[in-house]
Amino acid sequence: MSKIIFIDVDGTLVNYENVLPDSAVEAIQSARSNGHKVYISTGRSKAEVYANIWDIGLDGMIGGNGAYVESGGEVLLHQTLTAAQCKRIVDWLNLRGLEFYLESNGGLFASGNFETRGAATIREYCARKNREPASVRDIFPDMIFGGELYRSDVNKVSFILDTCEDYLQAAKDFPDCKVGTWGGAGETALFGDFGVKDIDKARAIDFVLNHLRGDKADTIAFGDATVDIPMLEYCAVGVAMGNGGDEIKKIADFVTDSVDEDGLRNAFIKLGLI
């Protein structure tokens, strides 16, 4: 019986240094050769899904944590923040003196001082992921500086948190958006983000299944973070990575090895996909 597989990217398909293990590539290619379909399901916008990932061979992607769905080259869903929402967010962030970047399928657009202000935040992010220090341009190689910030094609807006109060105030001031954090939890979070309200990866999987006329009973999801929990709970089988957080491990059907310990391949073997 062929399966439909959904794989998170950061911390699941690639490690925290953005290294894509050969074992993961081989596992996906073997699974597809065996008739299974494979989609990535990520918080990244399409502009952040680089050639080395597409070159694996994929059936499509879920991006923006569920705001964008593509299958076989066909766009099934693309929900963006409205131009009015984007302008309000940009103005609000500028008024508070918070640096940010806009995430669209056409690119990542940084605020005026994001590179300078973001240097320390990116160093801290790398340290928490036990990776070598990196610059903003290392982490975001195609980021656009000096671009237009009032846009109508934005999937998400990520911003550097100076304090937890920034997140709390954002959630209060923007009830029409999905406001979250990443790079930690609570007062340890490094970034906040504004996204499209009422979307998640589980809802996006519904669009894929309807398009394929697929059965939920044939779905498998892989993830490492809290944002992946809805899709692990939705799919028939949910697999957490060994390097994942405690919350997702608790709800997973099983925990595989870490990315760097060939966790994806080992799980594919255990599940009989290859």
Side-chain angles (χ1 to χ4, degrees), residues 123-225:
R123 283 197 299 271
E124 176 62 21
Y125 180 76
C126 291
R128 292 183 184 186
K129 299 298 186 181
N130 296 314
R131 60 177 290 180
E132 292 297 316
S135 69
V136 168
R137 291 183 188 249
D138 289 331
I139 299 295
F140 305 110
D142 294 332
M143 183 167 273
I144 298 165
F145 298 89
E148 175 58 56
L149 298 179
Y150 290 159
R151 309 184 64 85
S152 61
D153 61 348
V154 175
N155 302 320
K156 287 196 307 172
V157 180
S158 286
F159 62 99
I160 298 171
L161 289 170
D162 285 342
T163 69
C164 187
E165 176 60 27
D166 295 324
Y167 158 70
L168 296 175
Q169 194 62 48
K172 180 179 178 180
D173 290 350
F174 290 87
D176 57 329
C177 295
K178 184 175 186 177
V179 181
T181 62
W182 58 277
E187 295 191 8
T188 69
L190 295 174
F191 289 88
D193 60 20
F194 297 91
V196 179
K197 197 173 180 65
D198 298 327
I199 59 99
D200 61 27
K201 293 182 178 183
R203 177 173 172 270
I205 291 172
D206 254 343
F207 279 85
V208 176
L209 294 182
N210 289 336
H211 177 71
L212 298 176
R213 295 186 175 86
D215 192 329
K216 185 176 173 181
D218 297 324
T219 56
I220 304 170
F222 292 82
D224 74 304

Side-chain angles (χ1 to χ4, degrees), residues 1-18:
M1 179 71 68
S2 61
K3 302 295 182 182
I4 308 169
I5 306 161
F6 300 91
I7 305 172
D8 172 53
V9 174
D10 297 287
T12 303
L13 178 61
V14 304
N15 69 12
Y16 297 126
E17 294 183 339
N18 208 33

Side-chain angles (χ1 to χ4, degrees), residues 82-96:
T82 67
Q85 285 175 319
C86 181
K87 184 179 186 302
R88 282 179 54 226
I89 291 167
V90 168
D91 289 346
W92 186 89
L93 291 167
N94 283 332
L95 185 64
R96 291 182 73 91

Side-chain angles (χ1 to χ4, degrees), residues 219-223 231-233 235-240 251-255:
T219 56
I220 304 170
F222 292 82
M231 75 169 178
L232 263 68
E233 291 181 327
C235 289
V237 178
V239 184
I251 65 92
D253 291 297
F254 73 89
V255 179

